[in-house]
Structure formats: structure tokens, C-alpha cells
Amino acid sequence: MAKRRPSSDPDAPPRRRMRGFEPAASLVAPQLRQGAEARGFAVARLLTHWPEIVGPELAAATRPVKVSHGRAFGATLTLLTDGPQAPLVQMQLPQIRDRVNAVYGFNAIARITVTQTAAQGFAEAQAAFHPAPPEPAPSPEATAAAVRVAGRFDDPVLAQAMQALALNRAGRRARTKDHRFS
């Protein structure tokens, strides 16, 4: 029986997957690989693990944009950063090149160029973090009920935990009641 080769036709039906659970990484790996290869990244790990490769401080200030291969030996990695961070990144280029080449396993990157742009120019700008609004104070009736529940226990640690649990339950009921009739 001849083996069935995977079709390179994009309209072909997807290949049959194994039964049971599959790791999510195996489902998105082909799309991630295609996107990375389109930008010149032979190793997608350079994009996905950038903070681990260069460290959290540099990762917050830089993003790898593309790898271009010239006629000479070695490729050029282009990093995107904003204007104020560029001199600091420029000073650390030898360390960045060593770390990136460690990911590749050989001296794949010969040069690194730094491209500067404004903070709003980053294509993958980080979303602003807005903390949740503070919870309203519990009603006096809920506090009194929680104290009555806590009074049933002799152990002070257990009584305090039960009082916190009763207050949480009362707060949850109030929130669901508000949402139900809104």
C-alpha cells in the first residue's frame, strides 16, 4: 500500500489528527513556522522566546524584526527599538549577537542593525494594563452574618477563614444579583 503524501495544495482537506488530546503547540506550529520563515527567521524560537534569550530588560526595549541573508557569510538581524533606548541597545550588541548565535547553535548572525521608531510605531504594541475596579465594601448585614458564622468555631484561624469565606460568598451573591437584573 502506498503512503499518502501530504498535499501542498492549500485547498486540500487538513490531514487527520491523532485521537485524543493534542498539544496546542503542535496545532499552531505550521502557521508560526510559515510566518517566521517569511520574515527570514529559520528558528522561530528567536521570536517566541525573545525575553529568555536577551533578558527581560532588553526584551522590553527591543523586538526582532527580520533576518536578512546577504551574499557574504552570516546574516543580519534587524532589531526594532525606540529612540531613547537605541544607544543602550547599541552598546549591548555583541552580547545580543552571542546570545542569538547560541540559540542557532553556530555563528548564523554576523551583524545586528538597530532600527529606531517611536513607541506607538511598534506593530505589536503591548496593551495597557488597567486593574479591576476595587470591590465595594460589604453591607453591614453581610458583615454581621459573617461574624455569626465565624462565632461557631473555637479555633481563631479557622474562624477568621470562615468569616472571609462568608464575606466572599455574600459579595458574589450581590454581584450576580446585580448582573442578573441589569
Side-chain angles (χ1 to χ4, degrees):
M1 181 184 273
K3 282 188 172 181
R4 194 171 142 189
R5 291 188 175 181
S7 175
S8 61
D9 182 20
D11 296 330
R15 67 180 183 98
R16 185 172 176 179
R17 295 195 273 246
M18 65 182 176
R19 298 191 190 274
F21 293 107
E22 289 186 57
S26 68
L27 297 174
V28 294
Q31 289 84 7
L32 182 62
R33 188 178 315 113
Q34 286 175 353
E37 287 174 353
R39 291 177 20 188
F41 292 99
V43 178
R45 185 175 35 192
L46 191 63
L47 293 171
T48 58
H49 293 80
W50 185 246
E52 295 172 14
I53 294 169
V54 296
E57 295 85 18
L58 272 174
T62 62
R63 290 205 176 85
V65 177
K66 70 176 181 175
V67 174
S68 56
H69 301 276
R71 295 178 191 216
F73 179 74
T76 301
L77 171 66
T78 304
L79 295 179
L80 181 64
T81 187
D82 59 350
Q85 296 291 330
L88 299 173
V89 172
Q90 193 74 34
M91 290 188 317
Q92 297 179 9
L93 287 184
Q95 291 89 0
I96 295 172
R97 188 179 67 235
D98 292 341
R99 290 177 181 178
V100 169
N101 284 334
V103 170
Y104 278 102
F106 63 99
N107 287 332
I109 304 296
R111 290 184 22 183
I112 299 178
T113 60
V114 177
T115 302
Q116 299 177 27
T117 185
Q120 66 269 16
F122 280 84
E124 300 94 9
Q126 294 184 0
F129 175 74
H130 300 292
E135 290 286 326
S139 67
E141 297 85 23
T143 305
V147 169
R148 281 196 307 273
V149 168
R152 298 179 191 167
F153 299 94
D154 296 328
D155 184 17
V157 175
L158 181 59
Q160 184 180 10
M162 292 305 292
Q163 182 177 354
L165 178 65
L167 283 173
N168 285 340
R169 291 279 299 172
R172 180 173 293 152
R173 278 194 206 121
R175 284 190 303 272
T176 55
K177 187 170 75 171
D178 290 344
H179 289 296
R180 206 176 304 154
F181 298 112
S182 298

Short mmCIF file of all heavy atoms in Angstrom, two decimals, residues 1 3 17-18 24 32 38-40 51 66-67 73 76 89 94 104 125 132 139 141 171:
data_model
loop_
_atom_site.label_atom_id
_atom_site.label_comp_id
_atom_site.label_asym_id
_atom_site.label_seq_id
_atom_site.Cartn_x
_atom_site.Cartn_y
_atom_site.Cartn_z
N MET A 1 0.84 -1.17 0.00
CA MET A 1 0.00 0.00 0.00
C MET A 1 0.89 1.24 0.00
O MET A 1 1.82 1.34 0.78
CB MET A 1 -0.89 -0.02 1.24
CG MET A 1 -1.82 1.15 1.30
SD MET A 1 -2.76 1.17 2.82
CE MET A 1 -4.12 0.15 2.37
N LYS A 3 2.09 5.03 0.62
CA LYS A 3 1.85 6.05 1.64
C LYS A 3 1.26 7.29 0.99
O LYS A 3 1.61 7.64 -0.12
CB LYS A 3 3.15 6.44 2.34
CG LYS A 3 3.61 5.45 3.34
CD LYS A 3 4.78 6.04 4.10
CE LYS A 3 5.15 5.16 5.24
NZ LYS A 3 6.24 5.69 6.01
N ARG A 17 -5.90 14.22 12.31
CA ARG A 17 -5.13 14.34 13.54
C ARG A 17 -5.31 13.09 14.38
O ARG A 17 -6.23 12.31 14.19
CB ARG A 17 -5.59 15.56 14.33
CG ARG A 17 -5.31 16.86 13.60
CD ARG A 17 -5.42 18.01 14.52
NE ARG A 17 -6.78 18.52 14.62
CZ ARG A 17 -7.15 19.71 14.20
NH1 ARG A 17 -6.29 20.49 13.65
NH2 ARG A 17 -8.39 20.11 14.34
N MET A 18 -4.41 12.96 15.35
CA MET A 18 -4.48 11.78 16.20
C MET A 18 -5.70 11.87 17.11
O MET A 18 -6.26 12.93 17.31
CB MET A 18 -3.21 11.66 17.02
CG MET A 18 -2.99 12.78 18.01
SD MET A 18 -1.45 12.52 18.84
CE MET A 18 -1.37 13.99 19.80
N ALA A 24 -1.30 22.10 22.16
CA ALA A 24 -1.67 23.27 21.37
C ALA A 24 -0.51 23.72 20.48
O ALA A 24 -0.73 24.23 19.39
CB ALA A 24 -2.10 24.41 22.29
N LEU A 32 3.01 29.26 12.68
CA LEU A 32 4.09 30.04 13.27
C LEU A 32 5.36 29.90 12.44
O LEU A 32 6.05 30.88 12.19
CB LEU A 32 4.34 29.58 14.71
CG LEU A 32 5.42 30.32 15.47
CD1 LEU A 32 5.04 31.78 15.62
CD2 LEU A 32 5.64 29.69 16.82
N ALA A 38 8.79 33.67 6.63
CA ALA A 38 8.53 34.78 5.72
C ALA A 38 9.34 36.01 6.12
O ALA A 38 9.69 36.83 5.28
CB ALA A 38 7.04 35.13 5.71
N ARG A 39 9.65 36.13 7.41
CA ARG A 39 10.45 37.25 7.88
C ARG A 39 11.93 36.89 8.00
O ARG A 39 12.71 37.65 8.54
CB ARG A 39 9.92 37.74 9.23
CG ARG A 39 8.58 38.38 9.07
CD ARG A 39 7.90 38.85 10.31
NE ARG A 39 8.68 39.06 11.49
CZ ARG A 39 8.16 39.33 12.67
NH1 ARG A 39 6.88 39.43 12.79
NH2 ARG A 39 8.92 39.51 13.71
N GLY A 40 12.31 35.72 7.52
CA GLY A 40 13.71 35.34 7.49
C GLY A 40 14.19 34.56 8.69
O GLY A 40 15.36 34.23 8.79
N PRO A 51 12.36 37.17 25.25
CA PRO A 51 12.73 37.61 26.60
C PRO A 51 13.72 36.67 27.29
O PRO A 51 14.58 37.11 28.05
CB PRO A 51 11.41 37.65 27.36
CG PRO A 51 10.38 37.79 26.31
CD PRO A 51 10.91 37.06 25.11
N LYS A 66 13.52 41.16 11.54
CA LYS A 66 13.77 40.24 10.44
C LYS A 66 15.24 39.83 10.43
O LYS A 66 16.09 40.47 11.03
CB LYS A 66 13.39 40.83 9.09
CG LYS A 66 14.29 41.96 8.62
CD LYS A 66 13.88 42.42 7.24
CE LYS A 66 14.82 43.52 6.78
NZ LYS A 66 14.55 43.91 5.41
N VAL A 67 15.48 38.75 9.73
CA VAL A 67 16.83 38.27 9.49
C VAL A 67 17.01 38.27 7.98
O VAL A 67 16.25 37.62 7.26
CB VAL A 67 17.05 36.84 10.06
CG1 VAL A 67 18.41 36.32 9.67
CG2 VAL A 67 16.89 36.85 11.56
N PHE A 73 29.06 35.53 4.14
CA PHE A 73 28.72 34.58 5.20
C PHE A 73 28.11 35.33 6.38
O PHE A 73 28.60 36.36 6.79
CB PHE A 73 29.96 33.81 5.65
CG PHE A 73 29.66 32.84 6.76
CD1 PHE A 73 28.98 31.67 6.49
CD2 PHE A 73 30.02 33.12 8.06
CE1 PHE A 73 28.70 30.78 7.50
CE2 PHE A 73 29.74 32.24 9.07
CZ PHE A 73 29.08 31.07 8.80
N THR A 76 22.08 39.21 8.81
CA THR A 76 21.91 40.45 9.55
C THR A 76 20.57 40.40 10.26
O THR A 76 19.53 40.21 9.63
CB THR A 76 21.96 41.66 8.61
OG1 THR A 76 23.21 41.65 7.93
CG2 THR A 76 21.81 42.96 9.38
N VAL A 89 20.94 49.89 23.65
CA VAL A 89 20.91 48.64 22.89
C VAL A 89 22.18 48.52 22.04
O VAL A 89 22.76 47.43 21.95
CB VAL A 89 19.64 48.58 22.01
CG1 VAL A 89 19.68 47.39 21.06
CG2 VAL A 89 18.40 48.52 22.88
N PRO A 94 27.17 43.21 20.99
CA PRO A 94 27.97 41.97 21.00
C PRO A 94 27.37 40.88 21.88
O PRO A 94 27.36 39.71 21.50
CB PRO A 94 29.33 42.44 21.53
CG PRO A 94 29.38 43.89 21.23
CD PRO A 94 27.98 44.38 21.33
N TYR A 104 20.91 29.62 17.71
CA TYR A 104 21.08 28.95 16.43
C TYR A 104 22.04 27.77 16.52
O TYR A 104 21.94 26.83 15.76
CB TYR A 104 21.59 29.94 15.37
CG TYR A 104 20.50 30.79 14.77
CD1 TYR A 104 20.32 32.10 15.16
CD2 TYR A 104 19.67 30.28 13.79
CE1 TYR A 104 19.33 32.88 14.60
CE2 TYR A 104 18.68 31.05 13.22
CZ TYR A 104 18.52 32.35 13.63
OH TYR A 104 17.54 33.12 13.07
N ALA A 125 2.38 46.45 19.76
CA ALA A 125 2.47 47.24 20.98
C ALA A 125 1.78 46.51 22.12
O ALA A 125 0.78 45.84 21.93
CB ALA A 125 1.82 48.60 20.76
N ALA A 132 -8.61 45.98 37.83
CA ALA A 132 -10.05 45.92 38.06
C ALA A 132 -10.43 46.97 39.10
O ALA A 132 -9.64 47.30 39.98
CB ALA A 132 -10.44 44.53 38.55
N SER A 139 -21.92 44.99 52.84
CA SER A 139 -23.01 45.63 53.57
C SER A 139 -22.92 45.25 55.05
O SER A 139 -22.34 44.22 55.41
CB SER A 139 -24.35 45.19 52.99
OG SER A 139 -24.55 43.81 53.25
N GLU A 141 -25.22 44.08 56.89
CA GLU A 141 -25.92 42.80 57.13
C GLU A 141 -24.99 41.62 56.79
O GLU A 141 -24.95 40.63 57.51
CB GLU A 141 -27.19 42.71 56.27
CG GLU A 141 -28.25 43.74 56.57
CD GLU A 141 -28.01 45.05 55.83
OE1 GLU A 141 -27.32 45.05 54.78
OE2 GLU A 141 -28.50 46.08 56.31
N GLY A 171 -20.55 38.75 48.84
CA GLY A 171 -20.17 39.65 47.75
C GLY A 171 -20.48 39.06 46.39
O GLY A 171 -20.94 39.75 45.48
#
